[in-house]
Amino acid sequence: MSYAGHVIIRQPKPPFAALTAARGATQEEGLMAIQAIGQAVRTSRDATIFTEGDDALYSYKVVSGTIRLCKLMSDGRRQIAEFLQAGDFFGFEWRETYSLTAEALEDAELVRFPRARLDRLGEERCDVQRQLMTLLSRDLCAAQNHLLLLGRQTAKERVASFLLSLVTRNKAKSGDTLDIPMCRQDIADYLGLTIETVCRAISELKRARLIAVPNRMQIVVVNVPALREIVGGDA
Amino acid sequence: MSYAGHVIIRQPKPPFAALTAARGATQEEGLMAIQAIGQAVRTSRDATIFTEGDDALYSYKVVSGTIRLCKLMSDGRRQIAEFLQAGDFFGFEWRETYSLTAEALEDAELVRFPRARLDRLGEERCDVQRQLMTLLSRDLCAAQNHLLLLGRQTAKERVASFLLSLVTRNKAKSGDTLDIPMCRQDIADYLGLTIETVCRAISELKRARLIAVPNRMQIVVVNVPALREIVGGDA
DNA sequence: CGTTGCTTTGATGCCCGTCAATGATTGTGG
DNA sequence: CCACAATCATTGACGGGCATCAAAGCAACG
């Protein structure tokens, strides 16, 4: 029911050459074993992939598009935990139900892994379990850094941190253009701010010539070191 | 060097009856196998157990006392990710170096597990890996809830959430007294607030008769449902 | 019994949230 | 192709919640 918008493209054994290529040089055997049980699915813009509290039937990998993982309060307040892009895995928390909600920012292609099969695979093969551990660890460390951002950084620092995380992810340098697939509201909900505060921080960075904003979906990072300077204090 | 304050009490095989008893009914075989390679150590108040960035040589379990896990910025700003008490595990992020700093709030007894041995054990036994996954998942979900608190809750809600988390952990009911091992500054750094704001929120709850504060280290939760009412909006 | 460290309370200010209006961009139907 | 609506982004005015600064309680200790 919450899987409306998902279409299984090919069922049992899709060719995964393209997927592993997208991930780059990851030749872990455990990872291969996981990939082998994947099913390709599609989601459309704003579709819900799973909802917090649902039975956790599948884990996922992003092939293309962008996904947001978020928590909602009953009065509508929202906190986005993470944005996921090609090559990222999600839904690997080892629990009966999903601990957050996954939605597509834009049309996306995913690979999904049935939890039951993943579970069986993990019982037999330690290298698979180990791979899952690595994925979880990555998420945990990201969450810990996010805690510091939300608890102790100013609005300007948060926006600079966000841009720097995109710089890192895209291996961008000063002068490069970043594609920003998320709207301002998503950025605000990720940074624990309001949309207006995000706008003002971006405008301020623009006035200071640290970035340029050709359009709402792109940002040119003119001066990466200066952005790092703003974040500064992080260990 | 950063292990000053640690004393190995008994080296190879301490009796773990006390430890498992403290954890309650956890008869997982994987867990037993992990426990079997533990070494009992002590830390004193305010001692650093490990520092963010150190080589991750050990993972730990708390036997007694309270531990804080935190991130520091170079200008001194601090965010506490988690408080750990008897039965809790920490330092299980599967990375080369620790992703945060662990310190003792008070004199504490720990069991430490050499990463190298844990690693070898994990290669051989899937049930051990699985157990480690479960520990990581717990931390990840806790961190995700913490993100919502830091990003989207008001000061009063945060303090109420904190008290409720202690209520849950201690299985307390209205009228019960909670022992608060952490000082106000630690609470503030956990909740992303200042010490003054924490004090004011506590005073407000006290005035509203939701809690009583016999002394700085104890809080009586007079009206748990009313505390839940304050947090309210969470899914 | 004064010192020391932590907590609490008060006064003040600022950052960011709220409310509101204007721009910019995209999509739609005539 | 353009008018129009709809959506999103930006900017401004204002206020409130929390931080900052300061001082006074309060308990533990020598």
Side-chain angles (χ1 to χ4, degrees):
Chain A
M1 7 224 71
S2 67
Y3 290 87
H6 292 203
V7 180
I8 299 181
I9 304 171
R10 315 184 210 80
Q11 188 73 38
K13 304 215 170 184
F16 281 95
L19 308 187
T20 48
R23 186 93 206 298
T26 308
Q27 284 96 1
E28 295 269 349
E29 288 210 5
L31 195 55
M32 299 298 288
I34 294 172
Q35 306 265 12
I37 63 171
Q39 305 165 338
V41 295
R42 278 183 192 286
T43 59
S44 46
R45 187 169 197 281
D46 286 327
T48 300
I49 297 156
F50 55 73
T51 303
E52 179 178 355
D54 282 357
D55 283 348
L57 300 176
Y58 299 98
S59 297
Y60 295 85
K61 176 183 178 175
V62 182
V63 176
S64 70
T66 308
I67 306 299
R68 63 171 171 253
L69 299 182
C70 58
K71 288 231 171 220
L72 286 168
M73 293 173 68
S74 54
D75 59 5
R77 282 177 284 179
R78 185 177 71 155
Q79 178 62 46
I80 294 179
E82 221 175 339
F83 292 111
L84 301 157
Q85 296 189 320
D88 292 336
F89 291 80
F90 65 99
F92 279 81
E93 308 91 303
W94 220 239
R95 318 198 118 216
E96 291 299 309
T97 58
Y98 294 113
S99 61
L100 21 71
T101 298
E103 298 163 326
L105 294 196
E106 48 190 348
D107 291 354
E109 300 171 86
L110 308 174
V111 181
R112 73 178 190 195
F113 309 101
R115 216 30 111 70
R117 295 198 59 186
L118 218 47
D119 214 22
R120 254 181 285 130
L121 198 60
E123 278 174 10
E124 299 157 7
R125 301 186 44 169
C126 287
D127 59 342
V128 168
Q129 284 280 5
R130 163 121 6 173
Q131 195 59 43
L132 298 179
M133 287 273 292
T134 303
L135 296 178
L136 267 187
S137 289
R138 190 193 63 84
D139 286 350
L140 182 57
C141 290
Q144 288 164 353
N145 290 325
H146 203 176
L147 289 178
L148 183 62
L149 180 146
L150 293 176
R152 291 305 183 202
Q153 289 185 228
T154 65
K156 201 204 248 184
E157 288 171 342
R158 295 183 203 198
V159 171
S161 291
F162 173 70
L163 292 176
L164 284 173
S165 70
L166 293 179
V167 164
T168 302
R169 170 185 279 278
N170 296 12
K171 297 184 177 53
K173 294 168 206 158
S174 291
D176 288 358
T177 300
L178 299 172
D179 291 314
I180 315 284
M182 56 291 280
C183 66
R184 297 291 187 268
Q185 184 61 61
D186 284 335
I187 297 174
D189 286 343
Y190 178 75
L191 297 178
L193 300 170
T194 60
I195 186 172
E196 294 94 334
T197 301
V198 170
C199 276
R200 277 185 255 269
I202 289 176
S203 297
E204 200 178 337
L205 294 175
K206 194 166 57 174
R207 272 195 299 279
R209 313 279 180 212
L210 301 194
I211 63 173
V213 186
N215 62 64
R216 60 180 61 173
M217 287 303 190
Q218 291 190 316
I219 288 182
V220 182
V221 283
V222 177
N223 190 339
V224 173
L227 284 175
R228 290 196 210 286
E229 191 67 23
I230 288 177
V231 178
D234 66 347
Chain B
M1 5 222 74
S2 67
Y3 290 89
H6 293 202
V7 180
I8 298 181
I9 303 170
R10 312 183 211 83
Q11 189 73 34
K13 304 216 170 183
F16 281 96
L19 307 188
T20 49
R23 185 93 207 297
T26 308
Q27 283 96 358
E28 296 269 348
E29 288 211 5
L31 197 55
M32 298 298 288
I34 294 171
Q35 306 264 14
I37 63 171
Q39 306 165 338
V41 295
R42 277 184 192 285
T43 59
S44 47
R45 187 169 196 282
D46 285 328
T48 299
I49 297 157
F50 55 74
T51 302
E52 179 179 354
D54 281 358
D55 283 347
L57 299 176
Y58 300 98
S59 298
Y60 294 85
K61 176 182 177 176
V62 182
V63 177
S64 70
T66 308
I67 307 299
R68 63 171 171 253
L69 300 182
C70 58
K71 287 232 170 218
L72 286 168
M73 293 172 68
S74 54
D75 59 6
R77 281 177 283 179
R78 185 176 71 154
Q79 178 61 47
I80 294 179
E82 222 174 338
F83 293 111
L84 302 156
Q85 295 190 319
D88 292 335
F89 291 80
F90 65 100
F92 280 81
E93 307 90 303
W94 220 241
R95 318 198 118 217
E96 290 298 309
T97 59
Y98 295 113
S99 61
L100 22 71
T101 297
E103 297 164 326
L105 295 196
E106 49 191 347
D107 291 355
E109 300 171 87
L110 307 174
V111 181
R112 73 177 190 196
F113 310 101
R115 215 32 109 71
R117 295 198 59 187
L118 218 45
D119 214 22
R120 252 180 287 131
L121 198 59
E123 279 174 10
E124 298 158 8
R125 299 186 46 167
C126 287
D127 60 340
V128 168
Q129 284 280 6
R130 163 123 3 174
Q131 195 60 43
L132 299 178
M133 287 272 293
T134 303
L135 297 178
L136 268 186
S137 288
R138 190 194 63 84
D139 286 350
L140 182 57
C141 289
Q144 287 165 354
N145 291 325
H146 203 175
L147 289 178
L148 183 62
L149 180 144
L150 293 176
R152 292 304 184 203
Q153 289 184 228
T154 65
K156 200 202 247 183
E157 288 172 341
R158 295 183 203 199
V159 171
S161 291
F162 174 70
L163 292 176
L164 284 174
S165 71
L166 292 180
V167 165
T168 302
R169 170 185 279 279
N170 297 10
K171 297 184 178 53
K173 294 168 206 156
S174 289
D176 287 358
T177 300
L178 299 172
D179 290 315
I180 315 284
M182 56 292 279
C183 67
R184 297 291 188 267
Q185 184 62 63
D186 283 335
I187 297 174
D189 286 344
Y190 177 76
L191 297 177
L193 299 170
T194 60
I195 186 172
E196 293 94 334
T197 300
V198 170
C199 276
R200 277 185 254 269
I202 289 176
S203 296
E204 200 178 337
L205 294 175
K206 194 168 55 177
R207 271 195 301 278
R209 313 279 180 213
L210 301 194
I211 62 173
V213 187
N215 62 65
R216 58 181 60 174
M217 287 304 187
Q218 292 189 316
I219 287 182
V220 182
V221 283
V222 177
N223 190 339
V224 173
L227 284 176
R228 290 196 210 287
E229 192 68 22
I230 288 177
V231 178
D234 66 346

